[in-house]
Amino acid sequence: MNRTATERLQENVAAVARRAREASRELARLSGEERDEVLLAAAAAIEENAQAILKANEVDMRAAEEAVAAGKMTRAMAARLRVTERGVAQMATQVRDVARLPDPLGRRLAATELDDGLTLYKESCPLGVIAVIFESRPEVAPQVASLALKSGNAVILKGGSEAAQTNQALVSIWRASLGAFPAVPLDAVNLIETRADVLELLALDRDVDLIIPRGSYELVRFIMEHSRIPVLGHGEGICHVYVDRAADIGKAVAITYDAKVQYPAVCNAAETLLVHEAIAAKFLPVALAKLEQAGVEIRGDAKTATLAPGARIVPATEKDWATEYCDLILSVKVVADEGEAIGHINRYGSRHTEAIVTEDAEAAKKFMDEVDAAGVFQNASTRFSDGFRYGFGAEVGISTSKLHARGPMGLEGLTTYKFKLYGSGQTVEPYVKGEKRLKHRTI
Protein backbone atom coordinates (compact mmCIF):
# COMPACT_ATOMS: atom_id res chain seq x y z
CA MET A 1 0.00 0.00 0.00
CA ASN A 2 1.37 3.40 -0.98
CA ARG A 3 0.73 5.45 2.15
CA THR A 4 1.09 9.23 1.97
CA ALA A 5 3.13 11.18 4.51
CA THR A 6 -0.11 12.54 6.03
CA GLU A 7 -1.54 9.05 6.50
CA ARG A 8 1.70 8.00 8.16
CA LEU A 9 1.23 10.68 10.82
CA GLN A 10 -1.84 8.86 12.08
CA GLU A 11 0.09 5.66 12.71
CA ASN A 12 1.68 4.36 15.83
CA VAL A 13 5.33 5.45 15.91
CA ALA A 14 6.46 2.00 17.04
CA ALA A 15 4.90 0.52 13.90
CA VAL A 16 6.67 3.11 11.76
CA ALA A 17 9.99 2.21 13.40
CA ARG A 18 9.43 -1.53 12.93
CA ARG A 19 8.74 -1.07 9.24
CA ALA A 20 11.77 1.21 8.97
CA ARG A 21 13.87 -1.59 10.48
CA GLU A 22 12.56 -4.03 7.88
CA ALA A 23 13.19 -1.45 5.15
CA SER A 24 16.78 -0.94 6.31
CA ARG A 25 17.51 -4.63 5.76
CA GLU A 26 16.12 -4.44 2.23
CA LEU A 27 18.15 -1.31 1.50
CA ALA A 28 21.33 -3.02 2.64
CA ARG A 29 20.83 -5.62 -0.10
CA LEU A 30 20.68 -3.05 -2.90
CA SER A 31 23.73 -2.47 -5.06
CA GLY A 32 25.39 0.94 -5.20
CA GLU A 33 24.13 1.37 -8.76
CA GLU A 34 20.55 0.68 -7.69
CA ARG A 35 20.73 3.21 -4.86
CA ASP A 36 22.17 5.85 -7.20
CA GLU A 37 19.40 5.26 -9.74
CA VAL A 38 16.80 5.90 -7.05
CA LEU A 39 18.55 9.10 -5.96
CA LEU A 40 18.59 10.47 -9.50
CA ALA A 41 14.87 9.73 -9.81
CA ALA A 42 14.22 11.52 -6.51
CA ALA A 43 16.18 14.57 -7.69
CA ALA A 44 14.11 14.70 -10.89
CA ALA A 45 10.89 14.38 -8.87
CA ILE A 46 11.87 17.36 -6.70
CA GLU A 47 12.38 19.49 -9.80
CA GLU A 48 9.15 18.30 -11.42
CA ASN A 49 7.17 19.11 -8.30
CA ALA A 50 8.80 22.46 -7.55
CA GLN A 51 5.51 24.36 -7.63
CA ALA A 52 3.88 21.97 -5.18
CA ILE A 53 6.81 22.45 -2.79
CA LEU A 54 6.67 26.25 -3.10
CA LYS A 55 2.89 26.25 -2.62
CA ALA A 56 3.20 24.21 0.58
CA ASN A 57 5.95 26.53 1.78
CA GLU A 58 3.74 29.57 1.18
CA VAL A 59 1.24 28.12 3.65
CA ASP A 60 3.98 27.67 6.25
CA MET A 61 5.38 31.16 5.57
CA ARG A 62 2.00 32.86 6.05
CA ALA A 63 1.67 31.23 9.43
CA ALA A 64 5.29 32.13 10.23
CA GLU A 65 4.78 35.79 9.36
CA GLU A 66 1.79 35.91 11.69
CA ALA A 67 3.89 34.29 14.42
CA VAL A 68 6.69 36.84 13.92
CA ALA A 69 4.20 39.71 14.11
CA ALA A 70 2.82 38.25 17.34
CA GLY A 71 6.29 37.84 18.82
CA LYS A 72 6.01 34.04 18.84
CA MET A 73 8.74 33.38 16.25
CA THR A 74 12.03 35.10 15.53
CA ARG A 75 12.77 36.56 12.13
CA ALA A 76 15.82 34.28 12.00
CA MET A 77 13.65 31.18 12.30
CA ALA A 78 11.27 32.51 9.65
CA ALA A 79 14.24 33.11 7.34
CA ARG A 80 15.39 29.51 7.75
CA LEU A 81 11.89 28.32 6.87
CA ARG A 82 11.58 30.05 3.49
CA VAL A 83 12.02 27.98 0.31
CA THR A 84 12.61 29.67 -3.06
CA GLU A 85 12.77 28.37 -6.63
CA ARG A 86 16.55 28.51 -6.34
CA GLY A 87 16.31 26.59 -3.08
CA VAL A 88 14.31 23.79 -4.73
CA ALA A 89 16.90 23.61 -7.52
CA GLN A 90 19.66 23.37 -4.90
CA MET A 91 17.81 20.51 -3.18
CA ALA A 92 17.82 18.53 -6.43
CA THR A 93 21.46 19.40 -7.12
CA GLN A 94 22.54 18.17 -3.70
CA VAL A 95 20.70 14.87 -4.18
CA ARG A 96 22.53 14.38 -7.49
CA ASP A 97 25.82 15.29 -5.83
CA VAL A 98 25.23 12.54 -3.26
CA ALA A 99 24.46 10.06 -6.05
CA ARG A 100 27.85 10.85 -7.64
CA LEU A 101 29.80 10.09 -4.46
CA PRO A 102 31.61 6.74 -4.09
CA ASP A 103 29.60 3.92 -2.54
CA PRO A 104 30.32 4.01 1.20
CA LEU A 105 29.24 0.39 1.77
CA GLY A 106 31.34 -2.75 1.52
CA ARG A 107 34.62 -0.83 1.74
CA ARG A 108 37.44 -2.97 3.08
CA LEU A 109 38.87 -1.00 5.99
CA ALA A 110 41.39 -3.60 7.15
CA ALA A 111 42.45 -7.18 6.44
CA THR A 112 44.43 -9.44 8.77
CA GLU A 113 45.64 -13.00 8.25
CA LEU A 114 45.20 -14.61 11.65
CA ASP A 115 46.60 -17.94 10.47
CA ASP A 116 46.74 -20.07 7.35
CA GLY A 117 43.20 -20.25 6.01
CA LEU A 118 41.88 -17.86 8.67
CA THR A 119 41.43 -14.27 7.48
CA LEU A 120 39.67 -11.35 9.19
CA TYR A 121 38.19 -8.44 7.24
CA LYS A 122 36.80 -5.16 8.55
CA GLU A 123 34.16 -3.76 6.17
CA SER A 124 31.84 -0.74 6.20
CA CYS A 125 28.09 -1.30 6.52
CA PRO A 126 24.93 0.74 7.27
CA LEU A 127 23.93 1.78 10.76
CA GLY A 128 20.33 0.68 10.13
CA VAL A 129 17.61 3.13 11.19
CA ILE A 130 18.41 6.80 11.80
CA ALA A 131 16.04 9.36 13.31
CA VAL A 132 16.72 13.02 12.59
CA ILE A 133 14.91 15.73 14.55
CA PHE A 134 15.27 19.19 13.05
CA GLU A 135 13.76 22.66 13.20
CA SER A 136 12.71 25.17 10.54
CA ARG A 137 14.87 24.27 7.54
CA PRO A 138 12.85 22.12 5.09
CA GLU A 139 15.87 21.44 2.86
CA VAL A 140 17.09 19.12 5.61
CA ALA A 141 14.50 16.50 4.54
CA PRO A 142 15.93 15.74 1.06
CA GLN A 143 19.51 16.18 2.28
CA VAL A 144 19.08 13.58 5.01
CA ALA A 145 16.96 11.26 2.88
CA SER A 146 19.60 11.21 0.13
CA LEU A 147 22.47 10.51 2.51
CA ALA A 148 20.47 7.81 4.28
CA LEU A 149 19.54 6.05 1.03
CA LYS A 150 23.08 6.26 -0.36
CA SER A 151 24.43 4.71 2.85
CA GLY A 152 21.75 1.99 2.98
CA ASN A 153 19.91 3.37 6.02
CA ALA A 154 16.22 3.90 6.62
CA VAL A 155 15.34 7.29 8.10
CA ILE A 156 12.63 8.70 10.35
CA LEU A 157 12.30 12.48 10.02
CA LYS A 158 10.76 14.82 12.58
CA GLY A 159 10.52 18.38 11.35
CA GLY A 160 9.34 21.43 13.23
CA SER A 161 5.62 22.22 13.24
CA GLU A 162 6.42 25.56 11.60
CA ALA A 163 7.46 23.65 8.42
CA ALA A 164 4.76 20.98 8.52
CA GLN A 165 3.28 21.61 5.09
CA THR A 166 6.63 21.88 3.33
CA ASN A 167 8.01 18.76 5.00
CA GLN A 168 4.91 16.75 4.15
CA ALA A 169 5.17 17.82 0.51
CA LEU A 170 8.86 16.92 0.29
CA VAL A 171 8.49 13.51 1.94
CA SER A 172 5.42 12.65 -0.13
CA ILE A 173 7.32 13.52 -3.34
CA TRP A 174 10.30 11.45 -2.21
CA ARG A 175 8.16 8.42 -1.33
CA ALA A 176 6.28 8.68 -4.62
CA SER A 177 9.59 8.51 -6.48
CA LEU A 178 10.51 5.34 -4.57
CA GLY A 179 7.31 3.72 -5.81
CA ALA A 180 8.84 3.35 -9.27
CA PHE A 181 11.42 0.89 -7.90
CA PRO A 182 9.90 -2.41 -6.67
CA ALA A 183 13.09 -3.40 -4.83
CA VAL A 184 13.11 -0.19 -2.77
CA PRO A 185 10.78 -0.13 0.25
CA LEU A 186 8.65 2.98 0.73
CA ASP A 187 9.38 2.76 4.44
CA ALA A 188 12.95 3.81 3.73
CA VAL A 189 11.79 7.40 4.38
CA ASN A 190 9.29 8.24 7.11
CA LEU A 191 7.87 11.40 8.66
CA ILE A 192 6.50 12.03 12.15
CA GLU A 193 5.44 15.45 13.42
CA THR A 194 4.12 15.74 16.96
CA ARG A 195 6.01 16.04 20.24
CA ALA A 196 4.14 12.97 21.45
CA ASP A 197 5.58 11.09 18.48
CA VAL A 198 9.08 12.14 19.52
CA LEU A 199 8.57 10.95 23.09
CA GLU A 200 7.42 7.59 21.77
CA LEU A 201 10.36 7.44 19.38
CA LEU A 202 12.87 7.97 22.20
CA ALA A 203 11.86 4.65 23.78
CA LEU A 204 12.36 2.57 20.62
CA ASP A 205 15.95 1.48 21.18
CA ARG A 206 15.26 -1.92 19.59
CA ASP A 207 14.39 -0.42 16.21
CA VAL A 208 16.24 2.92 16.05
CA ASP A 209 20.03 2.86 15.95
CA LEU A 210 20.89 6.56 16.11
CA ILE A 211 19.14 9.87 16.81
CA ILE A 212 20.53 13.10 15.39
CA PRO A 213 18.85 16.17 16.90
CA ARG A 214 19.51 19.37 14.94
CA GLY A 215 18.55 22.38 17.00
CA SER A 216 19.11 24.18 20.25
CA TYR A 217 21.32 23.03 23.09
CA GLU A 218 18.16 22.44 25.11
CA LEU A 219 16.74 20.12 22.44
CA VAL A 220 19.93 18.08 22.24
CA ARG A 221 20.16 17.76 26.03
CA PHE A 222 16.50 16.72 26.28
CA ILE A 223 16.98 13.96 23.71
CA MET A 224 20.15 12.72 25.39
CA GLU A 225 18.52 12.63 28.81
CA HIS A 226 15.33 10.86 27.73
CA SER A 227 16.56 8.06 25.48
CA ARG A 228 18.77 4.99 25.60
CA ILE A 229 19.32 5.32 21.84
CA PRO A 230 22.77 6.70 20.94
CA VAL A 231 22.55 10.44 20.21
CA LEU A 232 24.88 12.38 17.95
CA GLY A 233 24.28 15.98 18.86
CA HIS A 234 24.00 18.75 16.34
CA GLY A 235 23.67 21.55 18.86
CA GLU A 236 24.08 25.30 18.83
CA GLY A 237 26.88 27.00 16.96
CA ILE A 238 28.67 29.64 19.01
CA CYS A 239 31.43 30.30 16.49
CA HIS A 240 34.24 32.86 16.83
CA VAL A 241 36.51 34.84 14.53
CA TYR A 242 39.80 35.81 16.20
CA VAL A 243 41.74 38.62 14.52
CA ASP A 244 45.36 38.15 15.51
CA ARG A 245 47.97 40.89 15.83
CA ALA A 246 49.55 39.63 12.58
CA ALA A 247 46.29 39.70 10.60
CA ASP A 248 45.91 41.26 7.17
CA ILE A 249 43.24 43.87 7.90
CA GLY A 250 41.61 43.53 4.49
CA LYS A 251 41.25 39.77 4.92
CA ALA A 252 40.07 40.18 8.49
CA VAL A 253 37.30 42.64 7.54
CA ALA A 254 36.10 40.45 4.67
CA ILE A 255 36.12 37.24 6.73
CA THR A 256 34.37 38.83 9.71
CA TYR A 257 31.69 40.32 7.45
CA ASP A 258 31.08 37.06 5.60
CA ALA A 259 31.02 34.97 8.76
CA LYS A 260 28.35 37.20 10.32
CA VAL A 261 26.34 38.71 7.47
CA GLN A 262 26.29 36.21 4.57
CA TYR A 263 23.66 34.04 6.32
CA PRO A 264 23.31 34.91 10.03
CA ALA A 265 20.56 32.38 10.76
CA VAL A 266 22.74 29.26 10.47
CA CYS A 267 24.89 27.44 13.01
CA ASN A 268 28.22 28.17 11.28
CA ALA A 269 27.75 31.94 11.35
CA ALA A 270 30.07 33.84 13.72
CA GLU A 271 28.55 35.08 16.98
CA THR A 272 31.64 36.58 18.65
CA LEU A 273 34.57 38.58 17.28
CA LEU A 274 37.81 38.55 19.29
CA VAL A 275 40.48 41.11 18.41
CA HIS A 276 44.11 41.29 19.55
CA GLU A 277 44.70 44.62 21.30
CA ALA A 278 47.76 45.35 19.13
CA ILE A 279 45.61 45.59 15.97
CA ALA A 280 42.27 46.62 17.45
CA ALA A 281 42.66 50.40 16.97
CA LYS A 282 43.22 49.96 13.20
CA PHE A 283 40.85 47.08 12.59
CA LEU A 284 37.76 47.80 14.69
CA PRO A 285 36.68 51.17 13.22
CA VAL A 286 36.80 49.77 9.67
CA ALA A 287 35.20 46.42 10.47
CA LEU A 288 32.42 47.77 12.71
CA ALA A 289 31.51 50.48 10.21
CA LYS A 290 31.00 47.87 7.50
CA LEU A 291 29.02 45.61 9.83
CA GLU A 292 26.77 48.47 10.93
CA GLN A 293 26.06 49.33 7.29
CA ALA A 294 24.67 45.81 6.96
CA GLY A 295 22.42 46.32 9.98
CA VAL A 296 24.50 44.37 12.49
CA GLU A 297 24.01 45.28 16.15
CA ILE A 298 27.37 45.40 17.95
CA ARG A 299 27.58 44.29 21.58
CA GLY A 300 31.06 45.13 22.75
CA ASP A 301 33.21 45.25 25.84
CA ALA A 302 34.57 48.51 27.27
CA LYS A 303 37.80 48.37 25.22
CA THR A 304 35.84 47.97 22.00
CA ALA A 305 33.76 51.05 22.81
CA THR A 306 36.92 53.06 23.53
CA LEU A 307 38.75 52.01 20.37
CA ALA A 308 35.76 52.48 18.04
CA PRO A 309 34.12 55.68 19.34
CA GLY A 310 32.21 56.22 16.12
CA ALA A 311 30.35 52.90 16.37
CA ARG A 312 26.98 52.37 18.05
CA ILE A 313 27.90 49.81 20.68
CA VAL A 314 25.59 48.11 23.16
CA PRO A 315 27.55 47.09 26.29
CA ALA A 316 28.12 43.33 26.22
CA THR A 317 27.12 41.20 29.20
CA GLU A 318 28.38 37.81 30.34
CA LYS A 319 25.33 36.25 28.67
CA ASP A 320 26.38 37.58 25.26
CA TRP A 321 29.56 35.51 25.17
CA ALA A 322 27.48 32.32 25.51
CA THR A 323 24.65 33.25 23.13
CA GLU A 324 23.91 31.93 19.66
CA TYR A 325 22.05 34.87 18.13
CA CYS A 326 21.28 33.43 14.67
CA ASP A 327 20.63 37.06 13.78
CA LEU A 328 22.44 40.27 12.80
CA ILE A 329 24.00 40.66 16.24
CA LEU A 330 27.71 40.28 17.01
CA SER A 331 29.48 40.37 20.35
CA VAL A 332 32.98 41.89 20.23
CA LYS A 333 35.84 41.64 22.71
CA VAL A 334 39.41 42.96 22.68
CA VAL A 335 41.90 40.45 24.09
CA ALA A 336 45.44 40.90 25.37
CA ASP A 337 46.94 38.04 23.38
CA GLU A 338 46.23 34.80 21.53
CA GLY A 339 46.21 32.81 24.77
CA GLU A 340 43.30 34.86 26.08
CA ALA A 341 41.44 34.37 22.80
CA ILE A 342 41.91 30.60 22.94
CA GLY A 343 40.83 30.53 26.58
CA HIS A 344 37.70 32.53 25.78
CA ILE A 345 36.77 30.23 22.88
CA ASN A 346 37.33 27.05 24.89
CA ARG A 347 35.16 28.45 27.68
CA TYR A 348 32.25 29.87 25.72
CA GLY A 349 32.38 28.11 22.34
CA SER A 350 30.20 25.16 21.38
CA ARG A 351 33.05 23.13 19.78
CA HIS A 352 31.61 23.80 16.35
CA THR A 353 33.85 25.99 14.14
CA GLU A 354 36.46 28.62 15.04
CA ALA A 355 38.60 30.85 12.80
CA ILE A 356 41.84 32.78 13.20
CA VAL A 357 42.89 35.54 10.81
CA THR A 358 46.68 35.82 10.82
CA GLU A 359 49.75 35.79 8.59
CA ASP A 360 51.81 34.28 11.44
CA ALA A 361 52.19 30.52 10.85
CA GLU A 362 53.20 29.91 14.48
CA ALA A 363 50.11 31.70 15.79
CA ALA A 364 47.92 29.77 13.37
CA LYS A 365 49.41 26.43 14.47
CA LYS A 366 48.92 27.24 18.14
CA PHE A 367 45.30 28.24 17.54
CA MET A 368 44.48 25.19 15.44
CA ASP A 369 46.17 22.79 17.87
CA GLU A 370 44.75 24.23 21.09
CA VAL A 371 41.20 25.31 20.21
CA ASP A 372 38.71 22.55 21.02
CA ALA A 373 36.36 22.49 18.03
CA ALA A 374 35.27 20.24 15.18
CA GLY A 375 36.59 22.79 12.67
CA VAL A 376 39.50 25.22 13.07
CA PHE A 377 40.25 27.56 10.16
CA GLN A 378 43.03 29.97 9.23
CA ASN A 379 42.15 32.95 7.03
CA ALA A 380 38.76 31.57 5.99
CA SER A 381 35.16 32.23 7.00
CA THR A 382 33.43 29.93 9.48
CA ARG A 383 30.69 29.59 6.83
CA PHE A 384 32.89 27.02 5.05
CA SER A 385 31.98 24.51 7.77
CA ASP A 386 29.40 22.65 5.70
CA GLY A 387 29.10 19.16 4.27
CA PHE A 388 28.37 20.41 0.76
CA ARG A 389 31.37 22.77 0.78
CA TYR A 390 33.58 20.00 2.19
CA GLY A 391 32.63 17.83 -0.80
CA PHE A 392 30.31 15.46 1.09
CA GLY A 393 27.40 16.16 -1.28
CA ALA A 394 25.21 17.15 1.67
CA GLU A 395 25.23 16.72 5.42
CA VAL A 396 22.94 15.12 7.95
CA GLY A 397 24.15 17.57 10.57
CA ILE A 398 27.28 18.97 12.19
CA SER A 399 28.42 16.93 15.14
CA THR A 400 30.12 18.65 18.05
CA SER A 401 30.67 15.25 19.65
CA LYS A 402 34.08 13.55 19.61
CA LEU A 403 32.81 9.98 19.19
CA HIS A 404 31.96 8.23 15.92
CA ALA A 405 31.67 11.39 13.79
CA ARG A 406 32.77 15.00 14.21
CA GLY A 407 32.06 18.12 12.18
CA PRO A 408 29.85 18.01 9.06
CA MET A 409 28.43 14.49 8.87
CA GLY A 410 28.27 13.01 5.40
CA LEU A 411 28.08 9.40 4.29
CA GLU A 412 30.94 8.18 6.46
CA GLY A 413 29.13 9.36 9.59
CA LEU A 414 26.13 7.22 8.67
CA THR A 415 28.08 3.98 8.39
CA THR A 416 29.65 1.63 10.86
CA TYR A 417 31.62 -1.56 10.26
CA LYS A 418 31.50 -5.27 10.87
CA PHE A 419 34.19 -7.93 11.13
CA LYS A 420 34.01 -10.82 8.68
CA LEU A 421 36.10 -13.86 9.57
CA TYR A 422 36.69 -16.50 6.88
CA GLY A 423 38.05 -19.78 8.21
CA SER A 424 38.61 -23.35 7.12
CA GLY A 425 37.48 -25.31 10.17
CA GLN A 426 39.66 -23.69 12.86
CA THR A 427 38.84 -23.94 16.56
CA VAL A 428 40.26 -21.88 19.43
CA GLU A 429 41.52 -24.75 21.61
CA PRO A 430 44.86 -25.39 19.84
CA TYR A 431 45.75 -21.70 20.20
CA VAL A 432 44.80 -21.69 23.89
CA LYS A 433 46.97 -24.77 24.52
CA GLY A 434 49.90 -23.22 22.70
CA GLU A 435 49.90 -25.83 19.93
CA LYS A 436 49.37 -23.06 17.36
CA ARG A 437 50.23 -19.37 17.26
CA LEU A 438 48.27 -16.60 15.58
CA LYS A 439 50.17 -14.71 12.86
CA HIS A 440 48.25 -11.37 12.94
CA ARG A 441 49.73 -10.44 9.56
CA THR A 442 48.31 -7.31 7.91
CA ILE A 443 47.38 -8.00 4.30
Side-chain angles (χ1 to χ4, degrees):
M1 178 181 176
N2 189 346
R3 294 175 297 275
T4 67
T6 303
E7 289 169 336
R8 302 282 289 170
L9 295 178
Q10 301 169 356
E11 295 184 305
N12 178 278
V13 176
V16 172
R18 280 194 298 273
R19 281 196 297 273
R21 171 65 71 197
E22 293 167 5
S24 72
R25 296 187 176 115
E26 294 180 53
L27 288 174
R29 291 195 289 268
L30 298 177
S31 68
E33 291 78 11
E34 288 173 311
R35 283 177 270 125
D36 290 344
E37 187 179 0
V38 177
L39 287 172
L40 294 176
I46 289 171
E47 290 176 331
E48 292 164 6
N49 291 275
Q51 291 308 309
I53 296 168
L54 294 172
K55 202 172 199 181
N57 187 247
E58 285 176 10
V59 176
D60 288 329
M61 285 306 303
R62 283 196 294 271
E65 286 160 6
E66 292 175 3
V68 170
K72 296 179 180 178
M73 181 185 291
T74 65
R75 292 195 178 278
M77 178 174 281
R80 291 195 295 269
L81 176 60
R82 185 176 296 280
V83 176
T84 63
E85 287 189 13
R86 183 185 176 196
V88 174
Q90 287 177 333
M91 291 179 195
T93 296
Q94 288 189 331
V95 174
R96 290 192 178 98
D97 287 340
V98 171
R100 283 193 286 266
L101 293 172
D103 188 352
L105 303 182
R107 292 186 300 118
R108 184 161 293 172
L109 306 175
T112 306
E113 182 186 33
L114 303 187
D115 202 351
D116 294 338
L118 186 64
T119 306
L120 179 68
Y121 297 101
K122 179 181 179 182
E123 292 187 1
S124 61
C125 62
L127 286 170
V129 178
I130 300 162
V132 181
I133 302 169
F134 59 99
E135 300 171 344
S136 299
R137 297 172 61 187
E139 69 270 19
V140 170
Q143 284 182 10
V144 171
S146 62
L147 289 168
L149 180 58
K150 179 79 175 186
S151 57
N153 294 291
V155 65
I156 299 172
L157 299 168
K158 162 61 175 79
S161 59
E162 68 280 353
Q165 298 300 315
T166 315
N167 288 333
Q168 286 182 24
L170 286 165
V171 173
S172 293
I173 290 165
W174 192 279
R175 287 172 60 84
S177 71
L178 298 184
F181 300 89
V184 182
L186 297 183
D187 296 305
V189 179
N190 306 273
L191 178 67
I192 61 175
E193 276 202 289
T194 69
R195 291 183 180 180
D197 288 341
V198 173
L199 292 175
E200 186 176 351
L201 176 74
L202 298 183
L204 303 178
D205 56 303
R206 295 278 300 174
D207 287 315
V208 179
D209 296 290
L210 179 68
I211 298 178
I212 303 174
R214 296 181 50 150
S216 66
Y217 174 81
E218 289 74 19
L219 170 67
V220 175
R221 292 307 313 172
F222 179 86
I223 299 298
M224 287 180 170
E225 292 170 2
H226 291 82
S227 183
R228 292 195 298 267
I229 302 168
V231 177
L232 207 54
H234 173 110
E236 59 192 350
I238 302 177
C239 303
H240 300 73
V241 173
Y242 165 56
V243 178
D244 184 52
R245 65 183 302 159
D248 177 294
I249 289 181
K251 291 179 185 177
V253 171
I255 289 168
T256 301
Y257 185 87
D258 184 83
K260 179 71 267 183
V261 177
Q262 197 274 331
Y263 192 177
V266 289
C267 63
N268 59 12
E271 305 294 7
T272 298
L273 172 65
L274 302 174
V275 185
H276 195 294
E277 63 181 10
I279 201 172
K282 291 182 179 179
F283 168 75
L284 282 174
V286 179
L288 298 191
K290 184 170 182 177
L291 290 166
E292 287 188 332
Q293 286 176 0
V296 178
E297 177 185 310
I298 306 300
R299 299 186 183 180
D301 66 351
K303 288 184 179 179
T304 298
T306 300
L307 294 170
R312 297 183 298 276
I313 297 175
V314 177
T317 66
E318 182 71 13
K319 182 180 178 181
D320 285 305
W321 310 129
T323 298
E324 181 186 29
Y325 302 114
C326 288
D327 205 346
L328 289 174
I329 304 171
L330 183 68
S331 56
V332 184
K333 182 178 183 179
V334 176
V335 295
D337 53 30
E338 183 180 19
E340 184 181 351
I342 293 171
H344 181 100
I345 291 169
N346 286 340
R347 177 179 179 184
Y348 296 103
S350 59
R351 299 179 179 177
H352 191 297
T353 304
E354 311 294 354
I356 180 174
V357 185
T358 187
E359 301 302 308
D360 183 338
E362 290 287 330
K365 185 179 186 306
K366 176 180 176 67
F367 184 91
M368 298 174 94
D369 288 347
E370 296 183 14
V371 165
D372 186 6
V376 283
F377 300 170
Q378 179 191 4
N379 294 338
S381 169
T382 57
R383 292 281 290 116
F384 278 102
S385 180
D386 175 84
F388 179 73
R389 297 187 181 100
Y390 278 12
F392 300 166
E395 66 181 32
V396 71
I398 295 182
S399 171
T400 53
S401 171
K402 296 183 181 180
L403 298 177
H404 180 68
R406 195 178 193 195
M409 285 179 57
L411 293 174
E412 186 177 347
L414 298 183
T415 62
T416 183
Y417 54 82
K418 62 174 63 174
F419 290 98
K420 296 182 177 180
L421 181 62
Y422 294 88
S424 51
Q426 287 88 349
T427 60
V428 165
E429 188 173 7
Y431 299 96
V432 172
K433 288 182 175 180
E435 297 169 1
K436 288 186 176 182
R437 293 177 62 85
L438 294 168
K439 294 181 177 180
H440 293 146
R441 184 175 72 87
T442 300
I443 56 178

